[in-house]
Amino acid sequence: MDVGADSGAGGAEPEPSSQFLRSFGRQMKLLRELAGLTQPQLAQRVGYGEALIAAVEQGRRIPKPELIDDVDQAVGARGVLSAMKDEVAKARYPSFFRRYVQLEAEAVELHAYINHAVKGLLQTEEYARAVFQMWRPLLGEEEIEQGVSTRMERQKLFARRPAPLLSFVIDEHVLRRPLGGREVHRGQLEQLLLYGYQRNVEMQVMPLDREEHAGLAGPFTLIHSANQRRMGYVEVQGLSTLHAEPKKVSSLEATYGVLRAQALTPRESLIFIEKLLGEL
């Protein structure tokens, strides 16, 4: 399932990464057994639940880097498991989204137009979980938790130093839609305010009463890399395209420029979100 993507759309074909995770799990199980440990014993040694150890060995859960290191040490693997951390990390995301996540994490600038639901990069844990629970066909609980975990991991971008320049234009109806219920909605608006007040982040709201709107073709993200490459990412219904050709990227940049001009200013937008919070 493409639970790592911003859209959350499910994929129809099994990912090669699923096969890798099953292989990693079998290797972890073999090393555990060679060390003479049961699943409960290993779980106790590394401080994680037995159910999680079982799920990782069966290839149903993606272990965090620290768990891999702890297991490697506990079973005496001498770095065999730890050496695969990078590949395990890649398996967190569907193949079509993997390159984007890497670019997002390394971006010096990132600008996004949002018109459906709050962008994954900005979501609270509760909002993300509510979004994943709404997808059809239904996702399993483990897939949901995996998707939530990967979205929270991406938010390290906000704490990165030097800080990237980030901006977001969000349609008003996205902010008014109470996905997950009143408390989830409130928490999401509060998080947008927290991000919006950071010096390197500019949040702008596109009001519903605008008579002109440059973003009718849908959401997109612009990425500027450290080596001066400028790219555009477009995703809808599980289909995505990463554009690097100058003509297409320039078109998206021009559209984004108009969107920012049509939207409320960053200061007006923060006041608008605060007002929405006061109405809840």
Side-chain angles (χ1 to χ4, degrees), residues 14-150:
E15 283 281 329
S17 57
S18 299
Q19 300 173 7
F20 170 78
L21 289 174
R22 286 193 290 271
S23 177
F24 176 86
R26 286 194 295 269
Q27 189 161 2
M28 177 172 145
K29 178 181 179 181
L30 175 61
L31 289 167
R32 172 180 61 77
E33 292 175 340
L34 288 173
L37 298 173
T38 64
Q39 287 182 347
Q41 289 172 332
L42 176 59
Q44 186 175 15
R45 284 198 182 188
V46 299
Y48 289 85
E50 179 184 347
L52 175 59
I53 298 298
V56 171
E57 289 189 351
Q58 294 165 17
R60 295 185 291 107
R61 287 288 296 273
I62 301 177
K64 293 184 177 180
E66 53 267 30
L67 172 58
I68 296 175
D69 285 336
D70 290 344
V71 171
D72 188 284
Q73 184 175 0
V75 302
R78 299 182 178 182
V80 171
L81 294 176
S82 293
M84 292 186 278
K85 281 192 297 185
D86 287 346
E87 292 304 314
V88 171
K90 290 178 183 178
R92 285 177 173 268
Y93 304 100
S95 56
F96 79 87
F97 197 58
R98 213 164 285 153
R99 177 58 175 157
Y100 170 80
V101 170
Q102 180 183 356
L103 291 168
E104 179 186 81
E106 299 171 354
V108 295
E109 291 187 31
L110 185 144
H111 311 283
Y113 166 56
I114 303 162
N115 75 340
H116 180 58
V118 173
K119 187 174 177 64
L121 184 63
L122 299 169
Q123 292 176 3
T124 64
E125 182 174 335
E126 295 76 16
Y127 187 99
R129 184 172 290 108
V131 168
F132 283 124
Q133 288 172 342
M134 295 175 194
W135 294 123
R136 298 296 186 273
L138 292 172
L139 300 176
E141 288 303 315
E142 291 183 352
E143 292 172 307
I144 291 172
E145 292 309 310
Q146 175 184 321
V148 172
S149 175
T150 57

